[in-house]
Amino acid sequence: MGRVIGKQVNVSRRADLQMLLATVIWGSSYLFMKSGLESMQELNLVAFRFSIAFIAAAVIFHRRLFRMDLKTLVAGTIMGTALFAAFVLITYGVQRTTTSQAGFLISLAVIFVPILSTILHRRMPDTRLMISIIVAVAGLGLLTLQHELSLHTGDILCILAALTYAIYIMIAGRYIPKHDPLTLGTIQLGVAAIWGIGATFLFESPRLPDTPESWVAILGLGVLCSGIGYILQTLAQRHASPTRTSLIFSLEPLFAAAFAFSFQGETLTLQGYTGAALMLLGVLITEIKSLDVRFWRRKRGTLPAELGEQGASGI
């Protein structure tokens, strides 16, 4: 029994490390987007990002793709469409606000998920959710409202991106348990790439990156942030509870702010830092449930089942 428990603990720790690494990678994505958008338009950047990610994933998981069925293809198409919509808003938003501010605003997706779930299931939100919403909205006001008390375009786009990404998370949560997650993840990247390429030809002038910095940004977004990031997320969630998964992912805006400060010298005002801290607190309130004292009374033999609890989350 001791060896089994030790093995489960090691698996759980490995999942935590995988999620943490994915979160760090996603925190760097805002910096890569800023750099890539200096020489490319928004839709063009999205198209390149997901095309590179799909090619990388397809090379690794090509055998799984050959075995996919129609239901998996349909599910991946729906997920990929929602993912594309979210990242179009994210990319336009990042172009029109600061890197660190975008990271905090898009983290609102973690709060939008329980709000949407409450609406869909037609039940009143619990006290914890209401408190988290109030705290997050207060932080949002401090972070985004300037002296003229108005939201900037980039802020609005990032908030809409958070809402759209929350919808994507809910869609993914519905389909992932029913299909092979790696196949599903690869398909969604391909669908997002197709949407991006089509939109680029319709609304922009397609072009290749023309500077080394742009190529580094595109490859970073495609291979690291979209390819490796989503693979790590999928692998980690097989061995992680929903609370632990969402809690670690909620650290993404902190890494985004750290990258922005380190490489771009971005800083917030005292009001901005206070607002960001309140937003993060609102996210944590949403994700951290009160510890049930009965857990400590459970028999030791039930521990492996607890450690093996699976979950689904999203960024």
Side-chain angles (χ1 to χ4, degrees):
M1 178 63 71
R3 291 183 178 179
V4 173
I5 293 176
K7 183 177 180 181
Q8 292 289 348
V9 170
N10 289 334
V11 169
S12 178
R13 288 176 178 173
R14 184 166 62 248
D16 288 346
L17 290 175
Q18 289 171 337
M19 287 187 292
L20 183 60
L21 179 56
T23 304
V24 174
I25 291 173
W26 286 335
S28 70
S29 67
Y30 303 99
L31 190 65
F32 284 132
M33 279 188 277
K34 276 286 190 182
S35 178
L37 288 170
E38 292 179 359
S39 61
M40 299 182 69
Q41 292 178 283
E42 290 85 355
L43 295 175
N44 202 359
L45 181 70
V46 172
F48 262 99
R49 171 179 187 162
F50 284 110
S51 295
I52 293 173
F54 171 70
I55 292 172
V59 169
I60 299 174
F61 304 118
H62 62 277
R63 293 183 180 179
R64 294 175 182 265
L65 290 178
F66 291 144
R67 296 195 300 265
M68 72 175 176
D69 55 23
L70 180 59
K71 291 183 178 180
T72 303
L73 178 61
V74 171
T77 300
I78 295 173
M79 288 174 57
T81 301
L83 187 65
F84 168 75
F87 272 91
V88 167
L89 290 169
I90 289 173
T91 307
Y92 275 99
V94 169
Q95 176 73 321
R96 290 159 179 80
T97 189
T98 64
T99 302
S100 53
Q101 192 154 307
F104 282 104
L105 291 174
I106 294 170
S107 71
L108 285 173
V110 183
I111 290 180
F112 283 142
V113 169
I115 292 176
L116 292 174
S117 180
T118 296
I119 294 173
L120 290 176
H121 293 92
R122 298 180 180 179
R123 65 170 181 262
M124 292 296 294
D126 58 22
T127 303
R128 182 169 54 87
L129 176 58
M130 291 301 299
I131 293 175
S132 70
I133 293 173
I134 293 172
V135 172
V137 170
L140 176 64
L142 289 174
L143 181 66
T144 60
L145 295 180
Q146 308 301 320
H147 296 294
E148 65 272 18
L149 296 180
S150 62
L151 288 171
H152 293 172
T153 302
D155 300 329
I156 296 174
L157 288 172
C158 286
I159 295 171
L160 291 175
L163 177 59
T164 307
Y165 196 78
I167 295 173
Y168 161 75
I169 291 174
M170 296 185 68
I171 294 173
R174 176 183 178 183
Y175 288 120
I176 286 177
K178 302 177 181 178
H179 305 275
D180 174 59
L182 294 178
T183 303
L184 206 59
T186 304
I187 294 173
Q188 74 170 356
L189 293 175
V191 171
I194 292 173
W195 277 115
I197 293 171
T200 300
F201 278 94
L202 284 175
F203 302 109
E204 297 178 353
S205 299
R207 58 179 296 183
L208 294 172
D210 54 7
T211 65
E213 291 78 13
S214 295
W215 274 111
V216 170
I218 294 299
L219 291 174
L221 286 171
V223 177
L224 285 176
C225 302
S226 296
I228 295 178
Y230 278 102
I231 290 173
L232 285 171
Q233 174 194 358
T234 305
L235 293 175
Q237 287 182 352
R238 294 183 302 173
H239 307 289
S241 69
T243 299
R244 190 166 69 249
T245 299
S246 298
L247 179 59
I248 294 177
F249 284 161
S250 69
L251 297 174
E252 179 184 332
L254 295 181
F255 291 118
F259 279 112
F261 175 77
S262 300
F263 294 96
Q264 293 182 323
E266 283 189 8
T267 58
L268 298 173
T269 62
L270 178 60
Q271 173 182 318
Y273 281 118
T274 303
L278 286 176
M279 286 184 62
L280 184 60
L281 178 60
V283 170
L284 296 179
I285 292 174
T286 302
E287 295 306 323
I288 300 178
K289 297 181 179 180
S290 297
L291 291 175
D292 186 351
V293 295
R294 288 176 297 176
F295 170 80
W296 303 107
R297 299 176 183 175
R298 291 176 182 175
K299 294 182 180 179
R300 188 178 181 184
T302 64
L303 183 59
E306 286 291 321
L307 293 175
E309 180 187 2
Q310 294 186 0
S313 175
I315 294 192

